[in-house]
Amino acid sequence: MPFWKQALLAIVILSLGGVAAATYVPALRPLFDRLGLVSALERFGLIDAAPELAVVSAARGGAGAGAVKVVAALVETRAMNDVINAIGTARAARSVRLTADIAGRIVALNAASGAYVEAGTVIAELDDEAARIALDRADLILSDAQTAAARQRRLQASGASTDLLAEEAKLAEKTAELGKREAEFELSRHKIVTPISGWLGILAVEIGDQIAPADEIAVVQDRSSLIVDFRVPERMIALLSPGIEVGAAPLSQNGPPLTGKIVALDSRVDDSSRTLRVQAAIANQNDLLRPGMALSVTLNITGAAHPFVDPLAIQWDTNGAYVWVIRNGKADHLPIHILQRDSDAVLIDGDLSPSDVVVTEGVQALRKGSLVDVVKSGDLNPPNPAPKS
């Protein structure tokens, strides 16, 4: 192909590309205008004159200079909210594992499995015949020692006994008292008593069973409130403290949401998961929950207040996010850092104050230092007038 044909074809292709870009990418029109391409394309009727381009040209300070029409909004502040969702395991606020202190045979069970018992209730009794015999023997020994001590005190008072004999009788009396106390203690160990009020678990023994020391009889749990153990990321540690309210819901059933409060924070971060163990107390209303259940825990943490803007105001370039802020009637390019995104607002960190105004619509025609005219949203792109008949 001759060179002149190649040059003509290249000009045609570039012209068509310029027409398409100027028509369908309005943001490129200011660039084409500075290169003098827009006026050439308009002169040949390849594109229509763009009102936005005229505004941009006027904003540069040319003849008939005007301002770029934009929609803007006042910067406001809002507290930053962090939501933590975790899965925790519930346990009773207090739980006691009842075991026998001595070996023996079960002769009585005074509570049924699953029953509510008060503190001090005797749950089970062991055969205590030998212990009662030992207590009776201790009573006889104590009675005899007390009689001997009293006789020695009388003889000492009349001068018929020495001080040494009186002291020996007194020591024997004290030793007998200790023997009786020991026998009473051994007898008490034949009763398994619950130290707390709560619900009794399923009994692990039956009457007639022979048990050894430390064998489990049952578990008593006070589940009027539950302790939920869960973990949070280490970045949230500074925002947590005892008393912060939490929400909870059982994973296994639908029901009304439950509320509770943080009661304890662990003293160290787990170095493998980089999480902190947290405990929260949840009121067990109507006794619907059981220890061991999995609960979904939610924490809503309110942080410091930050400026927020409409999501439409956020723009991006090679350096990151930025907004157009209007100061002294001119547009200024302001870099920002996004902290949190919500459905209707974006919390940002930047050199903004509540009195600043940021552009939300019409940003395509802006450049740093452009004069701006703030209009209503409906006035930014007015509808084309109906053709005259």
Side-chain angles (χ1 to χ4, degrees), residues 25 77 84 104 118 199 208 267 278 290:
V25 186
T77 59
I84 302 175
E118 297 288 347
W199 283 264
S267 60
V278 181
R290 292 292 183 271

Side-chain angles (χ1 to χ4, degrees), residues 120-157:
T121 301
V122 177
I123 304 301
E125 299 180 39
L126 303 178
D127 181 11
D128 58 1
E129 185 62 27
R132 289 186 180 278
I133 292 173
L135 179 58
D136 290 342
R137 182 182 298 111
D139 274 333
L140 290 174
I141 294 173
L142 176 60
S143 178
D144 183 63
Q146 288 173 340
T147 301
R151 183 172 63 253
Q152 287 297 325
R153 285 194 294 271
R154 289 193 302 270
L155 291 174
Q156 183 184 25

Side-chain angles (χ1 to χ4, degrees), residues 242-306:
I244 291 180
E245 187 172 286
V246 302
L251 296 179
S252 60
Q253 62 190 43
N254 295 323
L258 305 172
T259 58
K261 293 183 178 180
I262 292 177
V263 294
L265 304 173
D266 203 354
S267 60
R268 68 182 300 273
V269 172
D270 182 77
D271 54 5
S272 59
S273 63
R274 298 301 177 189
T275 58
L276 181 74
R277 182 186 176 194
V278 181
Q279 290 183 347
I282 307 292
N284 189 11
Q285 299 176 356
N286 302 321
D287 194 35
L288 297 178
L289 305 179
R290 292 292 183 271
M293 293 180 67
L295 299 180
S296 173
V297 181
T298 303
L299 284 85
N300 292 297
I301 307 297
T302 301
H306 293 276

Side-chain angles (χ1 to χ4, degrees), residues 309-362:
V309 297
D310 190 292
L312 295 175
I314 306 297
Q315 304 297 313
W316 297 86
D317 61 14
T318 56
N319 296 319
Y322 69 94
V323 295
W324 287 106
V325 60
I326 300 175
R327 290 172 177 169
N328 299 322
K330 296 182 179 181
D332 190 14
H333 179 281
L334 182 65
I336 60 164
H337 175 64
I338 296 177
L339 300 176
Q340 179 177 313
R341 288 183 178 271
D342 293 331
S343 59
D344 60 338
V346 179
L347 270 68
I348 61 175
D349 183 23
D351 186 18
L352 285 170
S353 64
S355 61
D356 283 328
V357 177
V358 296
V359 177
T360 59
E361 297 180 49

Side-chain angles (χ1 to χ4, degrees), residues 51-95:
E52 296 87 349
L53 187 57
V55 172
V56 174
S57 299
R60 296 194 188 105
V68 180
K69 292 185 178 181
V70 297
V71 178
L74 190 67
V75 175
E76 300 181 59
T77 59
R78 178 182 297 181
M80 186 173 179
N81 293 320
D82 281 305
V83 179
I84 302 175
N85 294 306
I87 303 298
T89 301
R91 59 181 176 84
R94 293 193 298 169
S95 179

Side-chain angles (χ1 to χ4, degrees), residues 214-234:
D215 282 354
E216 182 178 300
I217 306 300
V219 176
V220 179
Q221 295 183 323
D222 176 9
R223 59 174 188 256
S224 57
S225 64
L226 299 180
I227 301 297
V228 182
D229 291 279
F230 60 98
R231 293 187 171 274
V232 300
E234 63 179 1

